C-alpha cells in the first residue's frame, strides 16, 4: 500500500470512531490489554530481534527493552485508560442568545494524530490506547531500532480490532526509514496533528519540516536547585532519584544547581550517584568541593549546560542566590520540569512564579512528570510548549471542540 492510500484509509477509518461509543471503546481496550499479555512471548521474541542489533551500553537499550513485567504494566495502563471517563461530548460552554439561538461548545476528537518516536515500543500501546479513548485514529512512526517490536504490537492490536468488528485502519504503522517520516510530515488533509516524542534532534527535525500543526514533546533539560535552606536528605534523595531512576527518559535530571553556601554538602549530595557511576561535570567551585571526594568527576565545559544527557551524566552549576538559579534555568531549561529544594516559603513562591516550565516542583524529584503519576492515565507525551497543551498530554489534551448551534428559523439581517 502506498503512503497516500494508507493515509486515505486511516482518514476514512477515523470517521467510524464517532459512532463507536465509549462502551465499545472500553471493550476494545480491555481486549487489547488481555491480548498483549497472551501474546507476550511473541512480542518479546520480536523485541529481542531489535535488542540484538543494539549495544547494551547504549542508553536507549533500556527504553527498547520489553519484559513480561513491562508488558503486564503496559496492559495495566491500558485497563486504566479504559476505566477513565470519556473526554468526548463534554459541554464546555452553553449560551442562550436573546434572539433564541442556543449555542453549545462541545469536546470532539482531532481526527487523525501522527506520532513520531524513537526506540520505545511501549509508546505504540500507549498512543493507541489514549487515541482510541479520545476518539482519534493514529499513525505511528517508530524508530528503525524498534521496528520489529512495533510491528508485533500493531499486529496484536489489529487482530483484536478484527475480532471486535472495528476497522483496523484506525491504527497504522509506517515503514522504517526517513522517507515515510517525510511523507507523514507532509500529509496535509489527512493528518490533523503531529506529536514527536524523543530527542531534541528529532523534535527540531519535525518542527522544521512539518506542514501540519505540531505539539512539541519530550526534550527535557531538567534542573534541581538546592537552596541555602534546602533539607540535605531531601536534596540528596531527589538528585539521586531524578538522575538514576531511568536516565534515558525526558524527566531525568541533567543539571544540579547548588547555592554557594551549600558547597560543603556536595560530597553527601553526590555520594549515592557514585554507586551508579554517574559522571559529574562540575564548574570550578563545585569541582573544588568534590575533588578527591567523588570518583567520576570532570571539569564542566560550555557544552555541559543545556544538554539533555539521557545517560548517567550530570552537570553542576554554582550560584550565589535564588536569582542566579532562576537566570541559569531561564537560559538553559527546555521548559519541561524544574525543581527547588528549599524550606524558605518566599523562595519557593518566587521559584513557582518565575520558572517558565510545564512542571515546577518543590522538595521532590522531577521523575514524577508522567501522565499516569499525575492520575491522567497513560500519556501520549510531555508538551513543552504553551499552545493548547502543556505538561503530560492525556485524554483531554487530545480533544478540540466545535460549536453546535440550534435555531428556530432565525435569519441575520
Amino acid at each position: 500500500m502506498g503512503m497516500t492510500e494508507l493515509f486515505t484509509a486511516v482518514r476514512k477509518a477515523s470517521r467510524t470512531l464517532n459512532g463507536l461509543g465509549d462502551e465499545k471503546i472500553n471493550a476494545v481496550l480491555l481486549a487489547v490489554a488481555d491480548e498483549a499479555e497472551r501474546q507476550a512471548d511473541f512480542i518479546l521474541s520480536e523485541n529481542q530481534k531489535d535488542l540484538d542489533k543494539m549495544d547494551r551500553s547504549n542508553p536507549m537499550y533500556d527504553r527498547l527493552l520489553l519484559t513480561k513485567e513491562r508488558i503486564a504494566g503496559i496492559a495495566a495502563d491500558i485497563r486504566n485508560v479504559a476505566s477513565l471517563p470519556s473526554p468526548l461530548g463534554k459541554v464546555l460552554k452553553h449560551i442562550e442568545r436573546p434572539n433564541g439561538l442556543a449555542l453549545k461548545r462541545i469536546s470532539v476528537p482531532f481526527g487523525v494524530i501522527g506520532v513520531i518516536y524513537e526506540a520505545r515500543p511501549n509508546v505504540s500501546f500507549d498512543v493507541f490506547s489514549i487515541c482510541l479513548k479520545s476518539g482519534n485514529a493514529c499513525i505511528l512512526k517508530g524508530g528503525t531500532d524498534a521496528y520489529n517490536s512495533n510491528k508485533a504490537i500493531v499486529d496484536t492490536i489489529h487482530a483484536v480490532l478484527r475480532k471486535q468488528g472495528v476497522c483496523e485502519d484506525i491504527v497504522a504503522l509506517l515503514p522504517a526509514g526517513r522517507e515515510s517520516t517525510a511523507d507523514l510530515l507532509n500529509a496535509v488533509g489527512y493528518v490533523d496533528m503531529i506529536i514527536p516524542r524523543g530527542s531534541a534532534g528529532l523534535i527540531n527535525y519535525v518542527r522544521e519540516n512539518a506542514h501540519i500543526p505540531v505539539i512539541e514533546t519530550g526534550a527535557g533539560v531538567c534542573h534541581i536547585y538546592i537552596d541555602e535552606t534546602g533539607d540535605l536528605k531531601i536534596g540528596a534523595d531527589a538528585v539521586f532519584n531524578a538522575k538514576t531512576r531511568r536516565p534515558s527518559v525526558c524527566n531525568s535530571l541533567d543539571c544540579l544547581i547548588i547555592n554557594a553556601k551549600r558547597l560543603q554538602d556536595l560530597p553527601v549530595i553526590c555520594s549515592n550517584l557514585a554507586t551508579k557511576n554517574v559522571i559529574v561535570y562540575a564548574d570550578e567551585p563545585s569541582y573544588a568541593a568534590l575533588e578527591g571526594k567523588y570518583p567520576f568527576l570532570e571539569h564542566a565545559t560550555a557544552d555541559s549546560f543545556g544538554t539533555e544527557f539521557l545517560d548517567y551524566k550530570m552537570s553542576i552549576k554554582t550560584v550565589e542566590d535564588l536569582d542566579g538559579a532562576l537566570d541559569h534555568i531561564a537560559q538553559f531549561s527546555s521548559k519541561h520540569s524544574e525543581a527547588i529544594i528549599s524550606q524558605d516559603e518566599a523562595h519557593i513562591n518566587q521559584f513557582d512564579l518565575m520558572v517558565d516550565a510545564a512542571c515546577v516542583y518543590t522538595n521532590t524529584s522531577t521523575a514524577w512528570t508522567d501522565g499516569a503519576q499525575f492520575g491522567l492515565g497513560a500519556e501520549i507525551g510531555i508538551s513543552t510548549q504553551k499552545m493548547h497543551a502543556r505538561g503530560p498530554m492525556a485524554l483531554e489534551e487530545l480533544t478540540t471542540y466545535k460549536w453546535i448551534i440550534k435555531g428556530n428559523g432565525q435569519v441575520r439581517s
Side-chain angles (χ1 to χ4, degrees), residues 32-74:
V32 167
D34 292 344
E35 191 66 13
E37 292 184 308
R38 276 195 293 266
Q39 296 297 326
D41 289 338
F42 165 61
I43 294 171
L44 293 179
S45 67
E46 295 301 296
N47 180 238
Q48 190 60 50
K49 294 178 183 178
D50 294 325
L51 292 169
D52 289 343
K53 299 174 186 176
M54 183 177 286
D55 188 336
R56 279 181 171 269
S57 64
N58 189 328
M60 299 298 288
Y61 190 91
D62 180 62
R63 285 190 172 195
L64 177 59
L65 176 67
L66 292 175
T67 63
K68 284 200 173 181
E69 291 75 19
R70 288 187 176 183
I71 290 176
I74 289 167

Side-chain angles (χ1 to χ4, degrees), residues 330-400:
Q331 181 177 357
F332 293 106
S333 172
S334 66
K335 307 184 190 307
H336 190 292
S337 299
E338 307 293 349
I340 183 173
I341 309 299
S342 178
Q343 299 299 314
D344 186 320
E345 285 298 323
H347 284 193
I348 291 168
N349 291 337
Q350 186 178 355
F351 193 87
D352 289 345
L353 179 67
M354 299 300 294
V355 168
D356 182 12
C359 300
V360 182
Y361 292 92
T362 298
N363 292 328
T364 189
S365 164
T366 59
W368 295 108
T369 303
D370 177 273
Q373 296 301 320
F374 280 25
L376 304 176
E379 72 186 32
I380 202 167
I382 309 293
S383 172
T384 54
Q385 64 185 48
K386 302 179 184 181
M387 297 295 291
H388 167 63
R390 199 173 197 198
M393 293 178 57
L395 297 177
E396 290 186 4
E397 288 73 30
L398 292 190
T399 65
T400 181

Side-chain angles (χ1 to χ4, degrees), residues 68-250:
K68 284 200 173 181
E69 291 75 19
R70 288 187 176 183
I71 290 176
I74 289 167
D77 286 341
I78 296 172
R79 295 184 183 107
N80 183 47
V81 171
S83 73
L84 296 172
S86 172
L88 302 175
K90 292 183 177 179
V91 178
L92 307 174
K93 184 171 287 190
H94 186 188
I95 301 171
E96 297 282 349
R97 298 296 297 153
N99 62 6
L101 287 178
L103 299 86
K104 287 183 181 180
R105 190 168 75 186
I106 64 169
S107 58
V108 297
F110 275 96
V112 178
I113 295 175
V115 182
I116 303 173
Y117 51 106
E118 293 170 331
R120 294 188 68 178
N122 63 292
V123 172
S124 301
F125 276 124
D126 291 346
V127 169
F128 167 75
S129 62
I130 204 166
C131 280
L132 179 60
K133 183 70 177 184
S134 58
N136 294 286
C138 57
I139 299 176
L140 308 176
K141 178 60 182 77
T144 303
D145 290 338
Y147 182 74
N148 292 297
S149 307
N150 290 329
K151 188 174 187 306
I153 289 168
V154 173
D155 286 348
T156 299
I157 294 170
H158 279 165
V160 172
L161 293 175
R162 288 192 294 270
K163 289 180 184 177
Q164 292 284 328
V166 176
C167 179
E168 65 185 80
D169 291 329
I170 62 169
V171 54
L173 177 67
L174 296 187
R178 279 211 165 189
E179 295 82 2
S180 58
T181 301
D183 290 332
L184 179 58
L185 297 181
N186 287 279
V188 178
Y190 300 102
V191 178
D192 296 287
M193 183 168 66
I194 297 287
I195 301 174
R197 289 189 56 167
S199 66
L202 170 66
I203 293 168
N204 290 338
Y205 174 81
V206 171
R207 184 200 309 119
E208 293 165 5
N209 291 278
H211 290 83
I212 295 166
V214 174
I215 293 184
E216 298 176 25
T217 74
V221 179
C222 303
H223 302 79
I224 291 178
Y225 168 55
I226 297 184
D227 194 25
E228 181 180 355
T229 64
D231 181 278
L232 181 58
K233 185 179 187 308
I234 290 176
D237 289 347
V239 168
F240 182 74
N241 180 251
K243 180 67 267 179
T244 67
R245 177 188 167 271
R246 292 189 70 184
S248 64
V249 296
C250 58

Side-chain angles (χ1 to χ4, degrees), residues 59 243 247 252-255 276-281 298 307-315:
K243 180 67 267 179
S252 65
L253 177 64
D254 294 296
C255 180
K276 298 290 187 178
N277 300 335
V278 174
I279 297 172
V280 170
Y281 301 96
E298 298 189 16
T307 295
E308 184 183 24
F309 290 108
L310 301 173
D311 200 350
Y312 288 102
K313 298 176 180 179
M314 182 187 83
S315 61

